[in-house]
Amino acid sequence: MAPPTKARVAILTCSVVAVTAIGGWYGADLKMSQEARKSTYKSKNANGTETLAQLQDARMALVVRRTELEKKIAELDRKRTPADADVSSKLGDKR
């Protein structure tokens, strides 16, 4: 048996990496699809109380996200230097 060449080893290594990456990607996609189907099934078969609870949960998540974004914007505005403010005023920034 001939010793493996560098090209053969490189091709084999790339093949294993590609198969592993594609398998991971496909598995993640499959999981997301299943979760989406479960979510759709739950929302279609939910009664009024369950629907209200789901909507309240979604609202709370959105409020938390909005609060985080507002904090980030406030921090960025606070960190702004006077030179940045001058440029913004010339460009018509109306914050």
Side-chain angles (χ1 to χ4, degrees), residues 80 82-94:
R80 238 163 132 177
D84 292 339
D86 290 339
V87 170
S88 295
S89 65
K90 289 178 184 176
L91 294 176
D93 188 14
K94 304 213 179 200

Side-chain angles (χ1 to χ4, degrees), residues 14-28:
C14 290
S15 300
V16 169
V17 168
V19 167
T20 303
I22 291 172
W25 174 71
Y26 181 75

